[in-house]
Amino acid sequence: MYTLTDFRLQDGGTEKEDIIINGSRMMTGNGLLGCRGTMEEGEADAMPALIMNGLYDRQGTGWREPVNIPHPLSVRLLPDEGPVLGICGDPRLVTHSQELDFRYGILSRDTVWRLPGTDGEPFDVTVRSRRFVSMARRDSLFLEYRIQCTGEVNLTLLHGIQTAVYDIHGPHLTDPSCRFSEEGMKLECRTGEENRTIQVEQTCRRTGFPDSSGEREEENGQGFYRVISLETAAGREYTLELTGTVAVKDMTPVGTDLEKISFEGELERHKAVWDGIWDRGDVLIEGDEEAAAALRYSLYQLQIIAPRGLERNLSVPARGLSGQTYKGAVFWDTEMFISPYFLATDPDTARRFLMYRVESLEGAREKSAEYGYRGAFYAWESQERGADACSDYNVTDVFSGKPVRTFFRDKQIHISSAIVYALDRYLHMTGDLNILYEGALEMALECALFYYSRSLWSPLHKRYEFHDVLGPDEYHERVDNNAYTSRMALFTFQTALGLACLTDDNRYRALRTDTDYLSYSNSLIERKGYRKELKEIRDITREVYVPVPGEKNVVYRASPERSAMENSSRNIVEQFAGYFSLQDKFPAEIRESLLHPKEYWGGSSGPASGTRVIKQADVVLMLSLFPGEYSPEVLRANYDFYEPRTEHGSSLSACAHALLAVKTGRPDEALPYFKKTALVDIKGDSKHFAGLVYIGGTHPAASGGAWMTVVEGFCGLSINDGELTLNPRLPAGWTGVRFTVMFKDERYDIRVTPEGHEIQKRRETVKGEM
Amino acid sequence: MYTLTDFRLQDGGTEKEDIIINGSRMMTGNGLLGCRGTMEEGEADAMPALIMNGLYDRQGTGWREPVNIPHPLSVRLLPDEGPVLGICGDPRLVTHSQELDFRYGILSRDTVWRLPGTDGEPFDVTVRSRRFVSMARRDSLFLEYRIQCTGEVNLTLLHGIQTAVYDIHGPHLTDPSCRFSEEGMKLECRTGEENRTIQVEQTCRRTGFPDSSGEREEENGQGFYRVISLETAAGREYTLELTGTVAVKDMTPVGTDLEKISFEGELERHKAVWDGIWDRGDVLIEGDEEAAAALRYSLYQLQIIAPRGLERNLSVPARGLSGQTYKGAVFWDTEMFISPYFLATDPDTARRFLMYRVESLEGAREKSAEYGYRGAFYAWESQERGADACSDYNVTDVFSGKPVRTFFRDKQIHISSAIVYALDRYLHMTGDLNILYEGALEMALECALFYYSRSLWSPLHKRYEFHDVLGPDEYHERVDNNAYTSRMALFTFQTALGLACLTDDNRYRALRTDTDYLSYSNSLIERKGYRKELKEIRDITREVYVPVPGEKNVVYRASPERSAMENSSRNIVEQFAGYFSLQDKFPAEIRESLLHPKEYWGGSSGPASGTRVIKQADVVLMLSLFPGEYSPEVLRANYDFYEPRTEHGSSLSACAHALLAVKTGRPDEALPYFKKTALVDIKGDSKHFAGLVYIGGTHPAASGGAWMTVVEGFCGLSINDGELTLNPRLPAGWTGVRFTVMFKDERYDIRVTPEGHEIQKRRETVKGEM
């Protein structure tokens, strides 16, 4: 069982399962590289991983996924007899503890093994290590590895580069070759699909080792190692300082000079960057220590994947840099749940997320054309340049073993609107119009063009509708008039028209008086030939149908459920046409009805598909995004209706519920959802395997949702008519929340208490090394 | 193995499978009653059935299905020792032969059993029987049952009413009670759902029986019986003449006087009706005896289910009256494949089919409203008053045993257009405008209103489209722009506008000068408030999109298949948006890829769904309905493209291919399809069981398709500009075809030869007892 205290997460588990969970739970990283929290000696079955943001490979017909880079901080300790000292199932293990300092992203261990001595007396070997992925040198990670024995003994110490990594759809790397030199070793290998060269280097400093230590080089089943024969002196400490560096052309910074690096020196530089990060990005909850630590841990998980300070614009994968699951792809998670934190604390990073999408515009256009539409249909699972990694068959049927046709790729059209939504937030939070000139205006217009080409006029209803979509609730496929999707498409139209200065939308009045912008915007519209469609979009926008609370919006299949529904409440928004006519079941009933524990709940004939049980917030999410458009009664009635019918089968669900609970004036009901969200990676109780395939990892959207719940929910931060406003509703027991917000190039220190709130503008904006 | 000669079908099979096949193959019936061709002694496992058109029952949550009526012609023969003499697995059986005379619908048998005699010498018992379902008395069926022995022996003879029938979703009948009288016996029982009383009566005459025969009444596991102890004299014949009569209030004719009935007398009356039927309905193929016999057999199968001369308007179920399969429901089979034969030979019957739909209009309106649409959405599986018997889960998954969500009921919208198509043919063939006043005009307008409410305007393509439909090819669900469906919806619009005199469509010019009709039509339109929608429909009609040959109509999922397609031919009509992008596989490949022999090929993730393999004619059917709209090159290219990709998993498929093959000038290629169609029930090689559930039966649509292939295909009969025309293309070897056609109240005798054709109007139209 883990221990969570302020900025410290400790765990002593040594079972296989603990090792897998700690791998994600104790991630370190710097936005470019992410390193799973496995121990130095861990072999492939411990699932060590070193992942580089944006580096993918595809083998044969397997899914395209991140490359698991050879691990440059591999250390293995062998007694004279018996296997390598390890923690899982090793009878020689006495104690093991590993700890993540999540203030500074330092993973340390303290492990003791007991071995039989040559004289019959047992003796102990203790290994203490610290390691971090440097925030100051983005291509490097550092390890300090200390060995101490209570007796004299012959040990074999191996340190090197581990090539025997695990892969889901690999192997991805070919032709490894390693050159050993006085300073260390340098491995070179190549990816299969793009034939990219990856260089992994290890340099080493030793302290306390006798000059007489025998030494050789070895290539073994695990990789390339330097092998040292060490006769220990009792009580004496032997220290290795290892530096691992990864170089991939166009992806890593160039020119790191390895010789000048020392562990302590680098640690100081690394910590200095972290100090700057926390200065901007910390949130302090007062009066609830668990909540405070969980939130900071969530912010840590976000910071270690933030791709700041790099040459390329990258975004963040839905499982962070914690492995190959979810194909290392970027989902709508970024725009809807992760971006808000960065936007409020580090707008440059939020801008990168947007620029990543701007640079993916061509991919989104191609995808749209693929399906016969126009404009930008963004990838559901986005890899580089917007390529969609999502398969048409993304689930395997447990009964037949056959692939199940899923509709994430082709019908989940709300992805493009999420990007426009994030852009709109970005513009209002930063006032940075430059991004519009840099491609974001075109992107927004192309997204609108996509929804335009996807819209349909119903002669029967005399309105524009969006048909055959998959909303956030993925258990109900190919539905018409999904409230969330339709509202977001409408928002996209409104935003595009506002940005094109074709409406009198107050949100964009500043643009309409900016002659430079007007001229840029007009010339873009002319050049790209958008004029005619924008006019049509203006007409369509007036008649887009979004399901309305209590409205008999679509009479579909008379059923007892439907009638009961209509009588019981006139405030509920129907999730999609026909939802009310489905069987009224609850998640526990579905769970009990399963014939197989891993049965997929969705799909055309899935156990939830014919019922009102939904995977995750859908109408609730819409209401939490547009609360001002609905009465408090409507917000409350929908929360009460949908909440018990939601499985929360996605990490995005709990935070949407928390936000709406606060907005309906029930912060105490929101608190459990907040904790669920903030603790998801600490508890590690989500699903880790599908069959034998690892599907676990970190949940950055939940981490971002934790911040949203506290700052946008409990503290009620929002922008109204160009001003920061707060509308706090703290849960019982919380005595205060302190945080910092960047708003239009100014920093504000904010403190919220049950009694009220203070906003203070900082005199000097410290420009730290971020 | 069966023997088929002119008007005679003989089979001697005694295996379980033969018995099931002969049950359908040797059906007798009169349009109201259908009787499976099982033997008199057959128990439930032989699947005897007596089905009454239009009599349904539902038990619990089971499917609603026809009631299997207690069988009034049950006869069982018992020797002193051993079980009832039977044909399946009975070691005492010496020979068995049964024969259907399909000129007169008489089923006869000749069966010999050998039994050990009391003196050690074995002796033979021979049973010869004849039976028919009377065309003259629609509520009655008759049996002559003759017994002859080669020795003296004690036999027990039972004759009675068999209540132990089989049921798929039963039992449907409760509280049977039987009253025995001097003349016979009368059973009464009730249906479960509607509490309808069913009376089944048997009367008996005996010839050759000694007066001393012992006699008693018995209720046993099979039903209610009169039990006769018979000591046979060698060589003497004992004859039973049984009459079975069924009475159901409002469903059967009243007042049959059973006492006056004799087998021979009734047989003569029955044959006289059949003579009239063949006088009108026969088709004689010269030069190909197998084809000639197979076609006549097909016409026989149609005639025995034709619901003529009854008080109620009935249609024909898709499996005829051959049992409970397909829920005894009426499908589009009637309008598209069965009605043409009757329309050309017996227009009153074709009119009944239409009036059945007129009387189902309210049900169709209700179904449409259920799905949020207007107008008439006819039942996919229509029972009385248009109730849709089709389930949302019409298939069971072989792997999980779970129900599969199918979309026959809600997405197969082409059903309503089939009815309008049949109405249009009816009007042009008969000139009978009265039907329009009797509800058919309203029906056509309501069908158009349905498609109106289902139409969608695409701002992108600037056209009206039909989305989310299931075409005739049921292996590809929920598609957009299915060519067949869109063309038929457009046809419905055109016909409705023509009938409403709102276009200058030449097909309806007669209506526009008929002032009575104009005034009726106008007042209907006013009264029902159709005016505004009809105006809109007129606009929509101009812009309805039907996929066009060679047009890149929808660019959907770039794929190697798609590109190959575009390069290879510009003449193919894409079956639906995206079809060309599917994997190019062939039926044999799908069959080989199955993990389970009974795996359903369709469904969201079915083995055919991601490929171009289709269940049945779809584009081919459209082209065979509207050949004049396409060039010969297009007809040919599409036939050549789709034919090898079609599984022909439906009995409707072969005839559509045959028709198009003829229309592309290849009658010899059409011939195998014609034979497949015409022989389907004779060969009996279609699937009879799904698991343990009987799903076999007759295929009237294939029978109708056989007639269409010969008369409309090979002989090229059509109506052009109000005139009967012929355009013969006979297959090699056929020396002639003779048939009769009713056209606008006149009869024409037609003879087609390879050299030409003759049409002769009959002087006197014989009004037979039809």
Side-chain angles (χ1 to χ4, degrees), chain A residues 370 372 402 478 557 599, chain B residues 370 402 478 555 557 599:
Chain A
E370 216 181 290
K402 289 193 158 193
R478 308 195 62 182
R557 302 302 298 276
E599 202 175 337
Chain B
E370 215 182 291
K402 289 192 160 195
R478 306 194 65 182
V555 183
R557 301 303 296 278
E599 202 174 336

Side-chain angles (χ1 to χ4, degrees), chain B residues 33-274:
Chain B
L33 293 174
C35 185
R36 286 179 65 77
T38 50
M39 294 297 95
E40 290 73 25
E41 68 278 8
E43 300 190 4
D45 63 351
M47 297 188 182
L50 180 62
I51 298 291
M52 180 181 293
N53 195 341
L55 179 63
Y56 301 95
D57 185 67
R58 183 176 188 181
Q59 286 308 309
T61 56
W63 284 345
R64 209 153 178 278
E65 65 187 7
V67 173
N68 200 348
I69 294 173
H71 207 303
L73 300 182
S74 179
V75 183
R76 300 154 67 73
L77 209 51
L78 274 156
D80 263 4
E81 283 182 21
V84 170
L85 297 176
I87 56 174
C88 178
D90 191 329
R92 300 163 298 183
L93 185 77
V94 180
T95 59
H96 169 72
S97 168
Q98 62 186 82
E99 183 179 283
L100 177 71
D101 165 353
F102 55 85
R103 175 157 172 85
Y104 291 118
I106 302 165
L107 176 62
S108 57
R109 76 184 288 178
D110 190 337
T111 312
V112 180
W113 293 271
R114 184 155 299 163
L115 298 172
T118 43
D119 58 356
E121 279 296 295
F123 65 95
D124 288 353
V125 180
T126 300
V127 167
R128 295 187 188 86
S129 78
R130 291 188 291 162
R131 79 175 190 239
F132 62 93
V133 182
S134 173
M135 280 287 184
R137 294 186 189 258
R138 296 301 166 98
D139 57 356
S140 300
L141 47 169
F142 296 87
L143 171 69
E144 180 196 66
Y145 188 92
R146 292 181 293 151
I147 307 162
Q148 201 172 25
C149 293
T150 55
E152 289 174 15
V153 67
N154 292 331
L155 287 175
T156 305
L157 172 69
L158 295 92
H159 64 89
I161 300 172
Q162 186 181 30
T163 52
V165 296
Y166 84 98
D167 273 315
I168 300 178
H169 296 279
H172 295 288
L173 298 173
T174 56
D175 305 331
S177 68
C178 190
R179 200 161 40 80
F180 288 85
S181 66
E182 208 170 311
E183 296 77 35
M185 57 186 81
K186 193 168 194 171
L187 176 105
E188 218 173 87
C189 54
R190 287 205 306 280
T191 62
E193 188 184 16
E194 294 181 324
N195 204 31
R196 260 179 204 279
T197 300
I198 297 178
Q199 291 176 323
V200 182
E201 198 164 349
Q202 185 194 83
T203 58
C204 176
R205 278 190 196 200
R206 295 180 209 150
T207 314
F209 284 77
D211 294 342
S212 59
S213 305
E215 189 173 330
R216 60 190 169 84
E217 295 153 11
E218 180 179 292
E219 182 183 353
N220 58 39
Q222 286 298 309
F224 297 89
Y225 289 86
R226 198 172 288 277
V227 183
I228 302 162
S229 298
L230 174 66
E231 285 176 45
T232 61
R236 180 163 177 179
E237 199 170 66
Y238 304 90
T239 304
L240 279 182
E241 285 183 23
L242 298 185
T243 302
T245 304
V246 182
V248 181
K249 204 180 156 209
D250 300 332
M251 302 190 80
T252 47
V254 283
T256 301
D257 184 352
L258 288 173
E259 288 181 62
K260 296 180 190 153
I261 292 172
S262 81
F263 184 85
E264 284 298 339
E266 287 301 325
L267 182 57
E268 288 316 305
R269 288 185 56 195
H270 169 73
K271 286 164 83 170
V273 180
W274 269 110

Side-chain angles (χ1 to χ4, degrees), chain A residues 292-356:
Chain A
L295 178 61
R296 279 174 157 166
Y297 174 82
S298 297
L299 304 182
Y300 166 79
Q301 283 284 8
L302 292 171
Q303 293 292 352
I304 61 171
I305 58 172
R308 62 170 78 86
L310 301 169
E311 290 185 24
R312 297 205 301 164
N313 288 308
L314 291 170
S315 189
V316 287
R319 286 283 175 269
L321 302 174
S322 63
Q324 294 170 314
T325 52
Y326 281 33
K327 302 159 192 154
V330 179
F331 288 61
W332 67 314
D333 304 39
T334 299
E335 280 75 17
M336 300 307 291
F337 298 95
I338 298 169
S339 160
Y341 169 57
F342 290 104
L343 187 51
T345 61
D346 175 15
D348 278 358
T349 293
R351 192 182 209 274
R352 278 173 184 276
F353 297 156
L354 287 169
M355 290 309 294
Y356 164 79

Side-chain angles (χ1 to χ4, degrees), chain A residues 399, chain B residues 395-402 404 595-600:
Chain A
F399 299 105
Chain B
V395 166
T396 301
D397 179 49
V398 290
F399 300 106
S400 65
K402 289 192 160 195
V404 176
L595 294 185
H596 186 292
K598 287 185 180 157
E599 202 174 336
Y600 180 52

Side-chain angles (χ1 to χ4, degrees), chain A residues 45-312:
Chain A
D45 64 351
M47 298 190 180
L50 181 63
I51 298 291
M52 181 181 292
N53 195 341
L55 179 62
Y56 301 95
D57 185 66
R58 183 176 188 181
Q59 286 307 309
T61 56
W63 285 345
R64 209 153 179 277
E65 64 187 6
V67 173
N68 200 349
I69 294 173
H71 207 302
L73 300 183
S74 178
V75 185
R76 302 155 65 75
L77 210 49
L78 275 155
D80 263 3
E81 285 180 19
V84 170
L85 296 177
I87 56 174
C88 177
D90 191 332
R92 302 161 299 183
L93 184 78
V94 180
T95 58
H96 168 71
S97 168
Q98 63 185 82
E99 183 179 286
L100 176 72
D101 166 354
F102 55 84
R103 177 159 173 84
Y104 291 120
I106 301 164
L107 175 62
S108 58
R109 76 185 288 178
D110 192 337
T111 311
V112 180
W113 293 271
R114 184 155 299 160
L115 298 171
T118 41
D119 56 356
E121 279 296 295
F123 66 94
D124 289 351
V125 180
T126 300
V127 167
R128 295 187 189 86
S129 79
R130 291 187 294 162
R131 78 173 190 239
F132 61 94
V133 182
S134 173
M135 280 287 185
R137 292 186 189 260
R138 294 300 166 101
D139 58 357
S140 301
L141 46 168
F142 297 87
L143 170 70
E144 180 196 68
Y145 188 93
R146 292 181 292 150
I147 308 161
Q148 202 172 25
C149 295
T150 56
E152 290 175 13
V153 67
N154 292 331
L155 287 174
T156 305
L157 173 69
L158 296 91
H159 64 89
I161 300 173
Q162 185 181 28
T163 53
V165 296
Y166 83 97
D167 272 316
I168 299 178
H169 296 279
H172 295 288
L173 298 173
T174 56
D175 305 329
S177 68
C178 190
R179 198 161 43 78
F180 288 85
S181 66
E182 207 170 314
E183 297 78 33
M185 56 187 82
K186 193 169 193 169
L187 176 106
E188 218 173 86
C189 54
R190 287 204 307 279
T191 62
E193 187 184 19
E194 295 182 323
N195 203 30
R196 260 179 202 280
T197 300
I198 298 179
Q199 292 178 319
V200 182
E201 197 163 351
Q202 186 194 81
T203 57
C204 175
R205 280 190 195 197
R206 298 181 207 147
T207 315
F209 284 77
D211 294 342
S212 58
S213 305
E215 190 172 328
R216 60 188 170 85
E217 295 153 11
E218 181 178 295
E219 181 183 354
N220 57 39
Q222 286 298 307
F224 298 89
Y225 288 87
R226 198 172 288 278
V227 184
I228 302 162
S229 297
L230 175 65
E231 287 176 45
T232 61
R236 182 163 172 179
E237 198 169 69
Y238 304 90
T239 304
L240 281 180
E241 284 182 24
L242 298 184
T243 302
T245 303
V246 182
V248 181
K249 201 180 160 209
D250 300 332
M251 302 192 79
T252 47
V254 285
T256 301
D257 183 352
L258 288 173
E259 289 183 62
K260 293 181 191 152
I261 293 173
S262 79
F263 185 87
E264 284 298 338
E266 286 300 327
L267 182 57
E268 287 316 305
R269 286 185 55 196
H270 169 74
K271 287 166 81 169
V273 179
W274 270 109
D275 284 335
I277 288 171
W278 288 115
D279 179 46
R280 284 164 183 78
D282 195 17
V283 179
L284 175 61
I285 297 170
E286 298 163 332
D288 184 338
E289 281 182 26
E290 187 194 32
L295 178 61
R296 279 174 157 166
Y297 174 82
S298 297
L299 304 182
Y300 166 79
Q301 283 284 8
L302 292 171
Q303 293 292 352
I304 61 171
I305 58 172
R308 62 170 78 86
L310 301 169
E311 290 185 24
R312 297 205 301 164

Side-chain angles (χ1 to χ4, degrees), chain A residues 369-372 374 392 399-400 402 405 452 455-457 459-460 462 478 536 555-557 599 604-605, chain B residues 369-372 392 399-400 402 405 452 455-457 459-460 462 478 536 555-557 599 604-605:
Chain A
E370 216 181 290
Y371 289 104
R374 291 186 58 193
D392 278 352
F399 299 105
S400 65
K402 289 193 158 193
R405 178 69 163 92
Y452 158 82
S455 71
L456 294 166
W457 168 260
L460 173 65
K462 306 278 182 274
R478 308 195 62 182
E536 284 188 62
V555 184
Y556 180 92
R557 302 302 298 276
E599 202 175 337
S604 186
S605 310
Chain B
E370 215 182 291
Y371 290 105
D392 278 352
F399 300 106
S400 65
K402 289 192 160 195
R405 177 70 164 91
Y452 158 83
S455 71
L456 295 166
W457 168 259
L460 173 64
K462 306 279 183 276
R478 306 194 65 182
E536 283 187 62
V555 183
Y556 180 93
R557 301 303 296 278
E599 202 174 336
S604 186
S605 310

Side-chain angles (χ1 to χ4, degrees), chain A residues 695-715:
Chain A
I695 60 159
T698 58
H699 298 79
S703 303
W707 180 87
M708 287 169 77
T709 304
V710 172
V711 174
E712 300 184 358
F714 296 136
C715 299

